[in-house]
């Protein structure tokens, strides 16, 4: 009873921090806008400066929603992978799904000249790039699903997933070697990760895919808790291992693949946020962890994006670097303070 009250208070605090993080993220940027004007625009009022309205409603608000979706989805996919493989180092990249998205983007950007008859029109278009990355991630996901049908050992599936990642990484390396400097630079910029390039339509599409991934994850909570006790124990509890493994892999593919396609490969969040959440909540119960990692991931990504935007400057730092620079010391400090890792 007391534990439930503690969790309830923790979730209330997290939601308040999330709202403050949204306000912070929307308020700061390269263009200085008075806080009162920002609030007025968010509540549907107009401003004398039409540019401010456009910046807030068409750029900063979609960016904030994108950051929440990206952070929450990556954190949840990391939790799913760590539990499925019972490996604290597992993350969204272990099945090669994110690497597949990177390969799709690399083929679209650096291999455009090979398919000139198909892609000369609008090859640099963001929608096309996201589509190419999505196809790459789901092709790898399909390959992993075929393997999962034949391999019963979960650890063997983990190693096979890492091999898929190595193969796709090698193909990207070969493409990078033969491409010209301009296309290589564009691919590198994409690989930095960004949450500020999505239109409202793209954002709605990403939100729909992420919600589907979250629903599948919620349906897998019983299986996830059972996996922590071992596959034999899970089977004794009536968990259908093959079916639940399919659902968890598909959920991870939807979450990590869609985020990588639309925002680029963003590291650290998927690996670290589940550990951060376990340490702070002191539980391994996925009924608590699933909503908690969604909130923590969203908060972390909002704060990282606020810093990456360099308020008052036109420069934008790679969000991939910011997530690690800000997040890694927090995780290290937490592990030292708690003296041992809860997993």
């Amino acid at each position: 009873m007391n534990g439930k009250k503690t969790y309830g208070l923790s979730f209330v605090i997290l939601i308040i921090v999330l709202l403050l993080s949204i306000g912070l993220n929307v308020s700061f940027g390269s263009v200085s806008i008075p806080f009162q004007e920002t609030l007025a625009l968010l509540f549907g009022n107009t401003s004398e400066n039409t540019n401010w309205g456009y910046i807030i409603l068409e750029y900063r608000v979609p960016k904030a929603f994108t950051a929440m979706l990206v952070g929450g989805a990556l954190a949840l996919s990391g939790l799913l992978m760590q539990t499925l493989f019972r490996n604290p180092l597992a993350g969204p990249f272990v099945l090669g799904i994110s690497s597949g998205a990177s390969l799709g983007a690399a083929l679209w950007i650096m291999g455009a000249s090979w398919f000139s008859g198909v892609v000369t029109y609008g090859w640099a278009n963001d929608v096309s790039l996201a589509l190419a990355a999505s196809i790459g991630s789901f092709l790898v996901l399909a390959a992993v699903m075929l393997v999962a049908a034949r391999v019963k050992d979960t650890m063997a599936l983990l190693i096979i997933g890492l091999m898929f990642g190595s193969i796709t990484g090698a193909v990207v390396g070969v493409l990078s070697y033969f491409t010209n400097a301009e296309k290589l630079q564009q691919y590198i910029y994409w690989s930095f990760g960004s949450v500020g390039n999505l239109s409202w339509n793209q954002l709605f599409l990403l939100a729909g895919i992420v919600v589907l991934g979250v629903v599948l994850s919620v349906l897998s909570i019983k299986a996830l808790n059972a996996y922590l006790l071992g596959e034999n124990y899970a089977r004794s509890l009536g968990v259908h291992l093959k079916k639940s493994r399919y659902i968890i892999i598909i959920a991870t593919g939807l979450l990590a693949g869609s985020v990588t396609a639309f925002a680029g490969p963003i590291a650290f969040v998927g690996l670290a946020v589940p550990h951060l959440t376990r340490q702070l909540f002191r539980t391994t119960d996925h009924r608590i962890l699933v909503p908690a990692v969604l909130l923590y991931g969203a908060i972390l990504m909002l704060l990282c994006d606020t810093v990456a935007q360099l308020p008052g400057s036109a420069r934008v730092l790679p969000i991939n670097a910011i997530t690690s620079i800000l997040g890694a010391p927090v995780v290290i400090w937490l592990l030292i303070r708690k003296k041992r890792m809860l997993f």
Side-chain angles (χ1 to χ4, degrees), residues 268-334:
F268 181 80
V269 178
L271 175 64
V273 170
H275 291 302
L276 187 67
T277 308
R278 288 190 196 95
Q279 297 300 322
L280 292 174
F281 274 79
R282 304 300 299 168
T283 183
T284 56
D285 187 347
H286 286 78
R287 290 174 299 176
I288 304 299
L289 289 177
V290 167
V293 294
L294 286 170
L295 289 169
Y296 271 122
I299 292 169
L300 177 66
M301 190 57 67
L302 281 167
L303 295 177
C304 289
D305 180 58
T306 304
V307 174
Q309 292 297 316
L310 285 177
S313 167
R315 293 181 180 274
V316 179
L317 295 176
I319 198 162
N320 233 338
I322 300 300
T323 52
S324 298
I325 291 171
L326 291 184
V330 174
V331 175
I332 293 170
W333 170 78
L334 200 61

Side-chain angles (χ1 to χ4, degrees), residues 3-343:
K4 290 182 180 177
K5 286 182 179 177
T6 303
Y7 292 138
L9 179 62
S10 299
F11 277 113
V12 170
I13 293 173
L14 275 181
I15 291 171
I16 293 172
V17 174
L18 176 66
L19 294 175
L20 291 174
S21 302
I22 294 171
L24 196 67
N25 187 268
V26 175
S27 300
F28 290 101
S30 58
V31 177
S32 178
I33 301 175
F35 185 66
Q36 294 85 348
E37 292 285 343
T38 302
L39 276 181
L41 287 165
L42 288 177
F43 283 99
N45 298 317
T46 57
S47 172
E48 293 181 359
N49 190 327
T50 55
N51 289 333
W52 288 351
Y54 181 82
I55 291 171
I56 294 291
L57 300 177
E58 298 298 327
Y59 179 71
R60 291 188 186 177
V61 172
K63 184 166 65 67
F65 278 113
T66 305
M68 286 191 289
L69 288 171
V70 168
L74 288 177
L76 181 55
S77 62
L79 176 68
L80 297 179
M81 289 294 93
Q82 288 173 9
T83 303
L84 177 65
F85 295 119
R86 297 197 303 282
N87 187 326
L89 295 179
F93 288 82
V94 296
L95 286 180
I97 296 166
S98 296
S99 302
S102 299
L103 176 61
L107 282 170
W108 189 252
I109 295 172
M110 296 186 285
S113 59
W114 300 354
F115 316 105
S116 56
V118 180
V119 299
T120 48
Y121 178 74
W123 67 273
N125 184 279
D126 287 339
V127 176
S128 305
L129 184 59
L131 183 63
S134 299
I135 292 171
S137 66
F138 277 92
L139 283 177
V140 173
L141 177 64
V144 171
M145 295 293 290
L146 285 175
V147 172
R150 294 177 174 272
V151 177
K152 293 183 178 179
D153 188 347
T154 304
M155 293 308 294
L157 183 61
L158 170 63
I159 295 171
I160 291 169
L162 290 171
M163 293 303 104
F164 274 120
S166 297
I167 293 169
T168 53
V171 175
V172 171
V174 172
L175 282 171
S176 302
Y177 183 79
F178 286 106
T179 196
N180 61 45
E182 182 185 354
K183 291 176 182 176
L184 181 60
Q185 185 181 40
Q186 185 180 356
Y187 176 75
I188 290 173
Y189 275 125
W190 177 83
S191 67
F192 283 161
S194 172
V195 295
N197 296 325
L198 272 67
S199 65
W200 278 109
N201 289 334
Q202 290 172 289
L203 179 57
F204 286 136
L205 178 59
L206 174 62
I209 299 172
V210 169
V211 167
L212 183 57
V214 172
V215 170
L216 291 177
S217 304
V218 171
L219 293 175
S220 304
I221 282 177
K222 179 185 174 184
L224 290 167
N225 281 337
Y227 267 111
L228 290 177
L229 302 171
E231 293 187 357
N232 290 333
Y233 189 83
R235 195 178 289 110
S236 69
L237 289 177
V239 174
H240 194 297
L241 292 181
K242 194 172 182 180
K243 180 181 175 184
S244 62
R245 191 165 64 168
Y246 277 145
I247 295 174
I248 293 170
I249 290 172
I250 291 172
T252 304
L254 290 171
L255 294 166
S258 62
V259 164
T260 308
F262 283 95
I266 297 175
F268 181 80
V269 178
L271 175 64
V273 170
H275 291 302
L276 187 67
T277 308
R278 288 190 196 95
Q279 297 300 322
L280 292 174
F281 274 79
R282 304 300 299 168
T283 183
T284 56
D285 187 347
H286 286 78
R287 290 174 299 176
I288 304 299
L289 289 177
V290 167
V293 294
L294 286 170
L295 289 169
Y296 271 122
I299 292 169
L300 177 66
M301 190 57 67
L302 281 167
L303 295 177
C304 289
D305 180 58
T306 304
V307 174
Q309 292 297 316
L310 285 177
S313 167
R315 293 181 180 274
V316 179
L317 295 176
I319 198 162
N320 233 338
I322 300 300
T323 52
S324 298
I325 291 171
L326 291 184
V330 174
V331 175
I332 293 170
W333 170 78
L334 200 61
L335 289 174
I336 292 174
R337 183 169 172 267
K338 299 289 184 183
K339 300 189 186 304
R340 72 181 186 88
M341 186 172 68
L342 185 66
F343 184 75

